[in-house]
Amino acid sequence: MTDATTIAARRYSELHPGYHLVTAQPAAVPFSWLTLEVLAQQRKPLPVVDEFVLRFCQQGVDTIGGVAGVLGIGDEAVRTAVARRLSDEHLDYRPDTRPEHHGTRRITLTRTGTVAAHDLQTTSPQRVTHLQAFDRLLWTPTATRKSELIGRNEATTNGMVILPAARTRDVTTDEVTPRAINRILGLSDHQTTGSGADRPDGSDLVEVLAVDAVTRQYLHYLPAVILVFAAAGFDDVRLTVVVDDLVSKAHDQALAEAGGTGALKISLDPSVGEPALPPQLAAQRAPHDTVRGLQRRADTTPPGAEPGTVLAAADEDAATARAELAALTVRSVPSFEHPELLVAAVASARRRFLLLAPLLRAAVVTDGLIAQLEVMLRRRDLVARIAYGLGHPDRDHDADALDRIQRLADAHDNLTLVRVDTAMAHDLIFDDTWVNTSFDWLSYRGPNRVYRREEGTLVRSADAVDDRYQQCVSAIDLTIVT
C-alpha cells in the first residue's frame, strides 16, 4: 500500500520526540477556485510581416525597400509593420547617418526588439480572465492546479478530515494582489518575459498589473494527510499536516490558529490493549522499537546506483532491513501499519481470509475496497469469512457499508458474512499470517474522530496461525445470530 496516508505515516511517525503516532487520516484542505478579471501583460506571437522585419533587421536588411524586396511584397505592408514595432519600442527608424545613404531612413533594433526577435513574441496589456487557486486555511493564493482539487462530496465519502478555513467569508481583490499572483507565476515585479499560465484564448499570461474583480469563487478541497500524535506519559495532542508528501509547517500553524483539535473535534481514548498472546508467542515478539528501526531502514530506498557507491550501499542496507523484517515470525505492528496490512491481506490471500471487525463505516468500506475484495474472491480455492458486530447492533453500522458487504457476500459463495453477538478480538488472518490486535479494521476512518493508540502483533508461524484460525472459526460458528 503506497497511498499518501501510508507514505506520510511511515515517513513521519517519529517526527515529534516523546510522542506516539496514533493515527494517520486523509484530510482535505479547503480551497476557493477563483475567476478573476485582471489587467495583464500577455505574450502573443508576432504577426508574420512583423516577425520578418525583425529577423531581416537582425541580419542587416535595414530599409523598408530592402525588406519589401526580399519578401516580394509592397513597401506599404512593411511600413505598417515597422509602425507597429515602433509603437512597441522594438525598432528605431531614423535618418541614415552614412554619407553614401544621405536622405534614406534606417531600421534598427532596440534592446526590447532584440529580445522580441529572439522570442518572436510580444507583450501588451489586456483585460483578461484569470483562474486562480486560493488556500482558505493559509488564506493565500497558491499555484495549485484545478485538477489537484476535489469536491466536498468526494472528500466526505472518502472519510477525509475537513480542515477549517482561516475565515468563512468570500475572498476579496485585496487578498489576490498582482504581487501575489506574479510570485506564483515565477515573475519578479515589472518583468515582462518568462513562463506564464496558459490562457483560454491561447496566449500566455506574463504579468498581472491589476486585479479588478473576483467574479466567481467555488469551494473545493486539496487532498492531504493529517497525523495525530499523543504525548507519552502526559495529556497532549499534536497535529501535523502533510501536503504532497511533505510536512507543511505553514498549514500546521494555520490549523493551530484555527482551533486545532477543538475545531476538528479530535479526541483520544485510552487504548483498550492488545488481546493476550499465548506465552510462547509473547516471548518471541520483536518489540516496537526494533520493528520501527527496521522499517525506517527498509523505507530508505535511493535510486539505483553503481556498485560500491554510497547510494548503492544504502540500497543494499534497505534490502537487508526488508529481509530481516520479513524474517521476524512474531513482531509488533505499529498503529499506522494496520490499514496497510489489511490491503496487503486482500491483495495476497490465496487460501483463506478471516476478518473480525466491530463496526462497518462507509469511509473504509469504499468502492475501492469492495473492488479489491471482489478480485480476492475470484481466486480459486480461497475461502473468506468476515465477522462483524462483535456485540454491536446493526444500527451502529453505516447502512451503506453494511449493504455493500452484504451484496458482496450474496454474489460470492466463498464469502461467509456473519454478525456476531459477543465481543471478540479483532483478528485478521490471511494464509499463514495472523494479526492479533484491537484495531477497528473497518471503522478506523469516518466522521467519529475519537482515536486511540493501538499496537498489535503479527504472527507468521504456520502452526500458531492454524490454531488461532480454528479457534476463531469455532467461536464465530457458536455465536452466529440467526
Side-chain angles (χ1 to χ4, degrees):
M1 181 179 181
T2 56
D3 68 359
T5 305
T6 299
I7 291 171
R10 295 182 74 94
R11 183 176 294 170
Y12 301 114
S13 63
E14 279 85 34
L15 182 65
H16 301 292
Y19 286 74
H20 297 292
L21 177 61
V22 175
T23 187
Q25 296 289 323
V29 181
F31 264 69
S32 286
W33 187 251
L34 307 177
T35 301
L36 308 177
E37 296 300 322
V38 303
L39 177 65
Q41 298 273 24
Q42 282 191 292
R43 184 177 298 280
K44 291 189 173 183
L46 288 168
V48 174
V49 177
D50 298 44
E51 175 185 331
F52 279 106
V53 168
L54 297 185
R55 283 183 182 275
F56 288 137
C57 190
Q58 208 173 21
Q59 299 298 320
V61 182
D62 56 3
T63 65
I64 287 178
V67 174
V70 173
L71 291 177
I73 60 177
D75 288 2
E76 189 59 34
V78 177
R79 189 173 287 109
T80 300
V82 169
R84 284 195 295 264
R85 295 308 101 214
L86 285 170
S87 65
D88 284 343
E89 299 184 352
H90 289 159
L91 296 176
D92 278 333
Y93 188 48
R94 301 177 185 276
D96 196 330
T97 58
R98 294 171 293 181
E100 63 273 22
H101 295 282
H102 179 71
T104 64
R105 286 179 173 268
R106 183 183 176 204
I107 308 168
T108 58
L109 290 173
T110 64
R111 180 176 175 276
T112 57
T114 301
V115 173
H118 180 267
D119 292 344
L120 296 177
Q121 298 181 91
T122 185
T123 58
S124 60
Q126 295 188 27
R127 298 197 178 278
V128 296
T129 297
H130 175 62
L131 303 178
Q132 180 64 55
F134 190 91
D135 188 322
R136 296 184 63 86
L137 178 54
L138 298 181
W139 207 254
T140 187
T142 75
T144 307
R145 299 182 181 88
K146 189 175 183 181
S147 60
E148 299 175 66
L149 304 176
I150 61 174
R152 187 177 183 90
N153 285 343
E154 184 176 349
T156 54
T157 298
N158 291 332
M160 294 180 170
V161 178
I162 306 295
L163 303 186
R167 300 171 180 83
T168 56
R169 61 174 174 79
D170 286 345
V171 181
T172 68
T173 55
D174 292 337
E175 291 144 350
V176 278
T177 62
R179 180 184 295 271
I181 297 175
N182 290 332
R183 185 166 54 246
I184 292 168
L185 297 175
L187 304 174
S188 60
D189 288 345
H190 312 301
Q191 186 176 349
T192 58
T193 61
S195 61
D198 290 340
R199 305 305 320 133
D201 60 9
S203 59
D204 288 339
L205 191 65
V206 173
E207 181 184 14
V208 173
L209 305 176
V211 179
D212 295 331
V214 181
T215 58
R216 289 187 293 273
Q217 44 189 299
Y218 298 108
L219 185 61
H220 293 274
Y221 294 89
L222 177 68
V225 176
I226 188 164
L227 305 177
V228 181
F229 293 86
F234 62 99
D235 186 17
D236 187 40
V237 177
R238 287 188 180 180
L239 303 179
T240 294
V241 181
V242 179
V243 179
D244 291 333
D245 295 337
L246 297 175
V247 168
S248 173
K249 293 183 178 179
H251 285 94
D252 289 353
Q253 181 177 346
L255 179 57
E257 292 172 355
T261 55
L264 298 177
K265 298 181 180 178
I266 287 176
S267 61
L268 301 183
D269 273 358
S271 173
V272 299
E274 180 186 348
L277 279 172
Q280 70 274 19
L281 296 179
Q284 301 174 49
R285 186 179 189 270
H288 177 276
D289 291 345
T290 299
V291 172
R292 283 301 297 134
L294 289 171
Q295 287 177 335
R296 283 193 296 273
R297 288 169 53 201
D299 289 343
T300 306
T301 309
E306 293 297 324
T309 65
V310 173
L311 286 179
D315 193 29
E316 184 177 342
D317 180 67
T320 300
R322 286 193 291 271
E324 292 178 6
L325 191 62
L328 295 175
T329 57
V330 186
R331 69 164 177 86
S332 164
V333 176
S335 297
F336 70 82
E337 194 184 359
H338 286 80
E340 187 177 358
L341 281 170
L342 177 58
V343 172
V346 174
S348 63
R350 291 296 182 272
R351 295 186 295 109
R352 61 188 176 190
F353 175 87
L354 172 69
L355 180 66
L356 280 69
L359 294 170
L360 306 177
R361 293 282 179 249
V364 181
V365 186
T366 61
D367 290 341
L369 178 61
I370 294 297
Q372 292 164 354
L373 287 169
E374 286 180 332
V375 171
M376 180 189 74
L377 293 169
R378 288 199 293 268
R379 294 171 193 148
R380 183 177 298 178
D381 300 328
L382 181 132
V383 175
R385 288 181 173 85
I386 297 177
Y388 71 95
L390 311 187
H392 293 273
D394 283 350
R395 64 175 177 272
D396 289 349
H397 307 287
D398 288 350
D400 287 348
L402 180 55
D403 182 60
R404 283 175 173 173
I405 293 285
Q406 186 61 62
R407 282 190 280 113
L408 185 70
D410 292 342
H412 296 276
D413 294 338
N414 58 337
L415 171 60
T416 301
L417 177 67
V418 295
R419 179 165 64 86
V420 174
D421 196 32
T422 58
M424 296 177 63
H426 305 172
D427 289 48
L428 169 65
I429 296 175
F430 56 104
D431 294 342
D432 291 329
T433 300
W434 162 34
V435 183
N436 182 67
T437 185
S438 56
F439 182 74
D440 295 340
W441 293 105
L442 298 180
S443 59
Y444 66 89
R445 180 184 297 168
N448 180 12
R449 297 173 189 164
V450 180
Y451 305 117
R452 61 178 187 264
R453 184 177 178 232
E454 303 294 352
E455 186 176 328
T457 297
L458 184 144
V459 179
R460 289 195 185 99
S461 172
D463 291 341
V465 177
D466 284 343
D467 289 345
R468 183 58 184 171
Y469 181 78
Q470 293 304 324
Q471 292 172 14
C472 290
V473 170
S474 298
I476 290 171
D477 290 345
L478 288 174
T479 58
I480 293 176
V481 176
T482 57

